[in-house]
Amino acid sequence: MPLHLAIPTEGLFMAAVLDDFPVLTPVRDEDVALAVRAVLVHAPEQRPVGPLCRSERVPHPCRLARWGRGALRAAGFTEARVDELVAVGDPTAWPWK
């Protein structure tokens, strides 16, 4: 018979949701390419419960979407430009075009 241990999980989920990935500056070209991919893959998808991350099915914006937008902002992109990239939907798009 397996032994079941009581492991306290209170607060673990919220800590995982609230901890953001750091945006390192200066932002390198490799980071910009990853950030573009992150905001596209982790874009919002409308559901009856509200917008969810298309990839993770958690409330949008998820940690990777927040990191991607933060990295792009740190690289000098406006929110409008990031929204344009998401609308195009091409994860290989270079944002300075």
Side-chain angles (χ1 to χ4, degrees):
M1 179 178 277
L3 176 66
H4 296 285
L5 300 174
I7 299 173
T9 58
E10 184 177 336
L12 289 180
F13 178 74
M14 286 309 293
V17 170
L18 297 177
D19 289 344
D20 279 346
F21 297 117
V23 174
L24 304 177
T25 54
V27 180
R28 302 174 314 180
D29 285 348
E30 296 86 10
D31 297 331
V32 170
L34 288 172
V36 168
R37 186 167 184 84
V39 296
L40 292 175
V41 170
H42 297 270
E45 185 174 79
Q46 289 301 321
R47 296 293 181 140
V49 296
L52 297 179
C53 168
R54 182 179 6 191
S55 178
E56 297 180 29
R57 302 289 192 256
V58 298
H60 189 270
C62 67
R63 287 192 315 165
L64 279 171
R66 290 191 304 265
W67 173 81
R69 285 185 176 269
L72 291 172
R73 277 193 308 271
F77 296 98
T78 64
E79 284 294 322
R81 179 64 179 132
V82 175
D83 292 338
E84 288 175 15
L85 290 169
V86 171
V88 170
D90 181 5
T92 63
W94 191 242
W96 283 293
K97 289 183 181 178

